[in-house]
Amino acid sequence: MTATEAETTAPEAPDAEAEFQRLGKQLLRTVKSTPHRAAIQALIEEQTILSAPAVRHALVVDTGRGATARFDGLLGRQFALGLDEQQRSFLGLVLSMVGIGMTTIAAVQDLDDRRLPIILRAILRLAGNDDIAVGRRL
């Protein structure tokens, strides 16, 4: 067997995007409350925060039924997760939706054009409103 053959027969590394999507579906499947569902959905949409290994380690707990999110694992750890300022602001807003932390709504000033609509949609989910659309003005 040549080196080239060995390389082609080696098992492929799991696709990071597919693994992320699998985790997101699992977390949504195990969530029990509307605030937690809105928070998980926001983290899935934002993607960069939930992709960080330190965040996964603090947030995701493996149970007998599969992975589930425990937001209290993030309590007091926002500055130790290796996130940038926008990510910390976004995470603070998400945590406030589940009753953790003291982030004010003014933190939306720190969000970029990609993260702001995600938080707005999460707030609408939290309120149980499916009628208002979030998007760009023409």
Side-chain angles (χ1 to χ4, degrees), residues 5 7 21 33 36-37 45-46 52 54 69 76 81-83 85 87 90 93 98 100 104 109 115-116 120 124 131:
E5 289 174 2
E7 288 175 15
Q21 293 302 321
S33 70
H36 284 78
R37 177 172 297 284
E45 287 181 41
E46 194 278 342
L81 297 172
L83 303 177
E85 185 177 337
Q87 289 171 318
F90 186 93
L93 288 163
V98 296
I100 296 175
T104 65
Q109 296 175 24
R115 289 183 177 102
L116 181 58
L120 293 174
L124 291 172
D131 297 332

Side-chain angles (χ1 to χ4, degrees), residues 46-122:
E46 194 278 342
Q47 198 169 19
T48 66
I49 295 169
L50 191 54
S51 294
V55 173
R56 283 189 187 194
H57 180 72
L59 176 68
V60 179
V61 176
D62 220 358
T63 67
R65 293 185 2 213
T68 190
R70 299 287 162 96
F71 286 96
D72 55 343
L74 293 171
L75 185 62
R77 292 187 175 178
Q78 288 130 309
F79 290 94
L81 297 172
L83 303 177
D84 64 30
E85 185 177 337
Q86 280 196 26
Q87 289 171 318
R88 279 193 309 273
S89 292
F90 186 93
L91 182 58
L93 288 163
V94 167
L95 291 176
S96 71
M97 291 192 309
V98 296
I100 296 175
M102 297 293 292
T103 303
T104 65
I105 196 72
V108 297
Q109 296 175 24
D110 298 331
L111 301 181
D112 60 15
D113 288 346
R114 185 180 74 80
R115 289 183 177 102
L116 181 58
I118 295 170
I119 283 294
L120 293 174
R121 285 190 296 271

